[in-house]
């Protein structure tokens, strides 16, 4: 198995394809990266900016380049001895006209060859539905869209289809009869009933009306193709037939302003295997499983081996050819049975490096039976971030937050409230489906016969909102003790909050724990298990939407902690907890990824590094916020005695601005626009005054206007006069936090992952802001200069980098030096022990230090933190004068001579090492025993 030394995440899109990646291959290699980590590269919806909306997993995305361009890129990486870790999407595909599997189902219904491919009502194991598949893709109500002429019937070689802007859905063959019989008499008169062309058309009509019910799905589709081919021949060969069909199209497509003229098209659409409807309908009615609440992403039944094989054939082929050397599994928790999926993938890909996107809550362990190397790194991100938050100031920040905003609800109470909100507004239809399945099971037994659908739904909603983790992993193998304890904890909490539903909750607990009655048949047991595994597929989306995409935008006490998989209710962690996490990781998942920024993080790594500075200075922060708020109060709008934005959103804005404010004036205008876009997304995600489903333009406009006026660049702007000096001070300290963060990521157990562009400062906000194009030319230029200067006079270079640290070359230098040391001592970083080191002296709490060692060698990481009480702005955290008597206790029998990989200078120490000596020239140290 090829284990990466370090990965570099690239976001492929039409503007950055295979050729673009090839142009930076040398740069990535020179940086010290061993493996490309690629966003999805399989055929996606036209114009996709991210690749997760796959339409065909059996071919590469033509928008990224040709097959030849892909091969050339692979060859380039292989010549550099670099690997390729590929992000794959097994859970869902795009609900799009280009998805030919889905289009086949919408055209042929239950007779489709691909009926088992998608998680729709028809293929539910214990329930069936004759209702059409929802197509909740309209931007307005169906009637409005229809009568505006936005829904149009068209005809082409592939047959009749209904169009809504770029969406094109095929009509079932039986519907051709209604279309072709319209005004047929007129054609008979013009051609004559015995005309060969007319007779042929009648023959086509006869075949359409007499499609045999028996036969295989393939036979039916072959017949449909035959009929459509005959009709297209008539259309292209005969002017009368062409005129007849074109006039019918015009007739069916109606005339805006005449509602009755659309009756024919409405009637035709009512016959289809799909139902076009307003996108908001998907929140309350749903008969297919989606990715979270995204109507445009329909879930795949990858648990069906035929589906697994088809959707993974190209992936496995590229693995077997050595073009992919690793895989990253997107949204593993969405799958019906993750353990089974990983077993199949391992069987098909052999000894391949595999990581999974799995959001672990604090304290949660990965299932030990998963056949892979670990997570994609959100767990590491939150532990690393937590040690830069000064935990003893938690009460002060809680008080500041409640005083300023009036928010007093603890984060732990907010979570179930927001999950209930998501169930009511976004997942109501999905929960209805689960409740219907639960009612069906309950009705089979006397102890469940009196349960009502309403009572079961309320009980089920309470259970779903109380899960402390994304999901459990109960399957046909049974239930683990960990999952058992989660279920029991959830049921107990649900009973506390809804005591009137105790009987229903007891029944749900019985099912979830698979406590089968002795008299159950195997079919009944399968039904229970099916219900449990379905529930497990919804706790994850509910957690993601209720917490990540709602609560994290509402609870703004300290947004540096509001991250995917984070715990904002807890104000940072201790160094001992960080060390314990790393020790466990080294033992159990030494090759998991270590991330600090990703395409899905809520804010860039260097924004968090800046914001963590605030945790050190609560009194100053409180004073500044009060001053800013007083200055800006007149910039708010008041409507019906309600002032906008409210204090909580204002508090979010100030924190965001402290984190995202640029170092250089030429970046200011762009920053303002990005912040305006961010606050708009943030308040919609919060769902307090506005939301994606019910946009409140009054509040949105008021907030965006507030940002615009507050940030107006002028000499007379009192806010900026107060804000900029404070922000600059925070940003100064944030630089050193960023450097420590980067070194810790590179040297901790796990594979350090670098999101594109983050080798310089990353002040990105949530997507799509963090998916902006990267200026690789500047980075290449910086890297070339740094490497050349490091060869001649590295200390002079360091002095220059410290003097110009705002341009981020200092971060790039650190990454280059640390990755070089990692590569040269790879076995120690992969397999070496992780040993926390004791620090003594005046500033002992300001140092995070640990050793990685094996029998022959030891490497020591020294990363400072909490700089506001260590140095003044303008000072550097270097030398004995700053660090006083702070010392590091080295390991027993540690060598006396070390080389600092940052500065390439020799450091001497016996038993103890003065921090001032280790940090004599550079703000962090990486000492390699000699």
């Amino acid at each position: 198995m090829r284990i990466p030394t370090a990965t570099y995440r690239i976001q492929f899109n039409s503007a950055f394809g295979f050729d673009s990646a090839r142009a930076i291959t040398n740069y990535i290699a020179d940086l010290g990266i061993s493996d490309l980590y690629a966003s999805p590269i399989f055929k996606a919806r036209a114009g996709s900016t991210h690749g997760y909306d796959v339409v065909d997993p059996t071919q590469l995305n033509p928008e990224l380049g040709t097959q030849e361009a892909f091969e050339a890129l692979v060859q380039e990486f292989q010549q550099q001895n670099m690997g390729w870790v590929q992000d794959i999407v097994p859970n869902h595909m795009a609900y799009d006209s280009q998805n030919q599997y889905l289009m086949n189902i919408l055209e042929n219904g239950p007779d489709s060859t691909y009926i088992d491919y998608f998680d729709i009502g028809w293929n539910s194991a214990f329930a069936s539905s004759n209702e059409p598949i929802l197509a909740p893709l309209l931007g307005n109500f169906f009637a409005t869209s229809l009568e505006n002429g936005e829904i149009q019937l068209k005809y082409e070689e592939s047959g009749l289809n209904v169009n809504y802007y770029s969406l094109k859905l095929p009509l079932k063959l039986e519907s051709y009869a209604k279309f072709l019989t319209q005004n047929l008499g007129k054609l008979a008169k013009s051609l004559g009933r015995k005309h060969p062309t007319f007779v042929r058309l009648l023959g086509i009509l006869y075949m359409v009306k007499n499609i045999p019910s028996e036969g295989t799905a393939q036979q039916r589709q072959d017949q449909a193709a035959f009929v459509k081919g005959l009709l297209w021949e008539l259309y292209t060969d005969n002017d009368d037939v062409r005129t007849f069909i074109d006039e019918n199209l015009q007739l069916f497509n109606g005339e805006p302003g005449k509602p009755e003229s659309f009756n024919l098209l409405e009637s035709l659409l009512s016959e289809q295997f799909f139902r076009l409807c307003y996108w908001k309908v998907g929140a309350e009615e749903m008969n297919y499983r989606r990715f979270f609440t995204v109507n445009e992403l329909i879930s795949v039944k990858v648990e069906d081996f035929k589906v697994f094989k088809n959707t993974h054939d190209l992936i496995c082929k590229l693995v077997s050819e050595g073009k992919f050397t690793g895989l990253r599994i997107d949204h593993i928790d969405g799958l019906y049975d993750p353990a089974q999926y990983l077993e199949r993938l391992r069987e098909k890909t052999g000894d391949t490096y595999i990581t999974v996107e799995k959001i672990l809550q604090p304290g949660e362990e990965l299932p030990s039976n998963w056949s892979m190397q670990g997570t994609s790194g959100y767990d590491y991100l939150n532990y690393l971030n937590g040690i830069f938050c000064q935990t003893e100031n938690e009460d002060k920040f809680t008080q500041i937050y409640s005083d300023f905003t009036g928010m007093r609800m603890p984060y732990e109470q907010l979570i179930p409230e927001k999950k209930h909100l998501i169930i009511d507004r976004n997942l109501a239809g999905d929960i209805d489906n689960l409740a219907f399945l639960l009612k069906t099971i309950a009705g089979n037994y006397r102890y469940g016969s009196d349960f009502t659908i309403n009572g079961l739904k309320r009980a089920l909603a309470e259970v779903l909102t109380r899960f402390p983790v994304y999901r459990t992993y109960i399957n046909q193998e049974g239930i683990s003790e960990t999952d058992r304890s989660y279920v029991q904890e959830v049921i107990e909490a649900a009973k506390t909050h809804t005591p009137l539903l105790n009987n229903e909750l007891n029944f749900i607990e019985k099912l979830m724990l698979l406590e089968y009655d002795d008299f159950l048949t195997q079919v009944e047991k399968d039904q229970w298990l099916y219900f449990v595994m379905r529930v497990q597929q919804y706790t994850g989306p509910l957690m993601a939407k209720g917490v990540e995409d709602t609560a994290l935008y509402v609870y703004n006490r300290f947004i540096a902690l509001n991250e995917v998989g984070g715990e904002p209710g807890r104000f940072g962690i201790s160094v001992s907890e960080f060390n314990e996490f790393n020790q466990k990781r080294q033992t159990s998942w030494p090759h998991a990824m270590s991330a600090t920024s990703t395409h899905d993080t809520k804010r860039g790594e260097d924004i968090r590094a800046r914001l963590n500075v605030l945790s050190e200075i609560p009194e100053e922060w409180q004073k500044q916020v009060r001053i800013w708020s007083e200055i800006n109060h007149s910039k708010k709008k008041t409507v019906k005695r309600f002032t906008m934005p409210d204090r909580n959103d204002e508090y979010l804005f100030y924190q965001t601005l402290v984190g995202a404010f640029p170092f250089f004036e030429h970046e200011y205008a762009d920053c303002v626009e990005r912040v305006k876009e961010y606050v708009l997304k943030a308040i919609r995600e919060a769902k307090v005054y506005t939301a994606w489903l019910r946009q409140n333009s009054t509040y949105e406009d008021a907030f965006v206007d507030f940002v615009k006026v507050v940030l107006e660049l002028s000499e007379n702007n009192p806010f900026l006069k107060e804000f900029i000096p404070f922000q600059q001070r925070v940003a100064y300290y944030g630089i050193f936090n960023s450097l420590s963060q980067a070194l810790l990521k590179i040297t901790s157990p796990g594979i350090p992952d670098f999101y594109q562009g983050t080798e310089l400062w990353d002040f990105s906000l949530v997507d799509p802001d963090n998916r902006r194009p990267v200026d690789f030319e500047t980075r290449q230029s910086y890297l070339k200069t740094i490497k050349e200067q490091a060869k001649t006079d590295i200390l002079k270079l360091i002095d220059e980098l410290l003097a110009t640290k705002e341009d981020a070359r200092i971060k790039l230098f650190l990454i280059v030096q640390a990755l070089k040391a990692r590569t040269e001592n790879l076995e120690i970083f992969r397999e070496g022990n992780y040993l926390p080191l004791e620090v003594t002296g005046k500033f002992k709490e300001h140092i995070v230090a640990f050793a990685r060692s094996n029998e022959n060698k030891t490497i020591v990481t020294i990363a400072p933190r909490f700089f506001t009480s260590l140095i003044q702005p303008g000072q550097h955290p270097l030398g004995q004068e700053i660090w006083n008597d702070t010392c590091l206790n080295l390991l027993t029998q540690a060598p006396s001579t070390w080389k600092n990989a940052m500065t390439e200078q020799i450091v001497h120490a016996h038993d103890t090492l003065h921090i001032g000596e280790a940090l004599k020239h550079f703000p962090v140290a990486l000492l390699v025993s000699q």
Side-chain angles (χ1 to χ4, degrees), residues 513 563 864 916:
L513 296 178
E563 198 47 85

Side-chain angles (χ1 to χ4, degrees), residues 388-430:
F388 290 93
C389 177
Q390 200 147 44
T391 56
E392 57 262 37
N393 289 329
E394 177 171 10
D395 290 343
K396 292 179 182 178
F397 267 81
T398 301
Q399 192 63 49
I400 293 168
Y401 184 46
S402 62
D403 287 349
F404 186 80
T405 67
M407 290 277 290
R408 290 177 174 79
M409 180 182 288
Y411 178 70
E412 293 72 21
Q413 290 182 25
L414 189 68
I415 292 175
E417 177 187 296
K418 296 309 175 184
K419 284 186 177 181
H420 272 297
L421 178 71
I422 295 299
I423 286 177
D424 292 341
R425 292 188 185 174
N426 301 86
L427 291 173
D430 302 278

Side-chain angles (χ1 to χ4, degrees), residues 11 20 101 141 217 222 264 335 338 571 630-631 656 668 691 695 714 723 755 805 833:
Q11 291 296 113
S20 300
Y101 305 112
F141 286 101
D222 289 343
L264 283 173
L335 305 185
F571 206 74
E630 289 171 7
I631 292 172
T656 300
Y668 182 77
Q695 293 174 21
S714 68
F723 173 80
Y755 184 64
K805 50 191 168 296
N833 295 325

Side-chain angles (χ1 to χ4, degrees), residues 303-374:
E303 63 269 21
D304 185 305
F305 186 73
K306 176 181 66 177
V307 178
F308 171 87
K309 184 178 184 304
N310 182 272
T311 56
H312 286 67
D313 270 356
L314 179 56
I315 294 167
C316 296
K317 176 176 179 288
L318 293 171
V319 169
S320 68
E321 292 173 350
K323 292 168 183 173
F324 291 168
T325 56
L327 299 172
R328 180 263 197 188
I329 315 305
D330 181 65
H331 189 41
I332 189 87
D333 278 346
L335 305 185
Y336 187 72
D337 190 346
Q340 178 201 63
Y341 171 80
L342 288 169
E343 286 172 10
R344 286 177 174 173
L345 188 65
R346 178 63 72 197
E347 184 181 339
K348 288 288 183 180
T349 60
D351 201 26
T352 300
Y353 177 74
I354 297 174
T355 60
V356 298
E357 185 205 27
K358 163 63 188 168
I359 313 302
L360 291 166
Q361 294 304 99
E364 181 186 2
E365 301 284 347
L366 268 174
S368 58
N369 64 331
W370 282 10
S371 181
M372 50 93 203
Q373 275 56 63

Side-chain angles (χ1 to χ4, degrees), residues 794-795 898-907 921 927:
I794 194 168
L795 293 183
W898 306 78
K899 184 178 181 180
N900 188 343
M902 293 292 102
T903 64
E904 298 182 2
Q905 305 300 300
I906 297 298
V907 177
H921 301 291
L927 307 181

Side-chain angles (χ1 to χ4, degrees), residues 649 652-653 656 674-685 690 700 703-704 707 765:
D649 288 335
L652 169 70
F653 166 64
T656 300
R674 290 169 45 230
V675 170
K676 283 158 62 176
E677 291 172 6
Y678 170 77
V679 298
L680 190 58
K681 175 169 182 172
I683 58 178
R684 287 177 180 172
E685 295 284 27
T690 186
E700 291 181 355
F703 198 176
V704 172
V707 173
L765 298 162

Side-chain angles (χ1 to χ4, degrees), residues 463-475:
V463 167
L464 291 170
T465 59
R466 297 289 163 186
F467 266 90
V469 292
Y470 274 68
R471 68 167 281 174
T472 51
Y473 301 96
I474 304 162
N475 60 17

Side-chain angles (χ1 to χ4, degrees), residues 786-800 903 905:
I786 284 171
K787 286 207 161 190
E788 287 174 355
Q789 289 185 256
K791 291 176 184 176
T792 55
D793 192 337
I794 194 168
L795 293 183
K796 181 182 178 182
L797 170 63
I798 289 171
D799 287 342
E800 179 188 327
T903 64
Q905 305 300 300

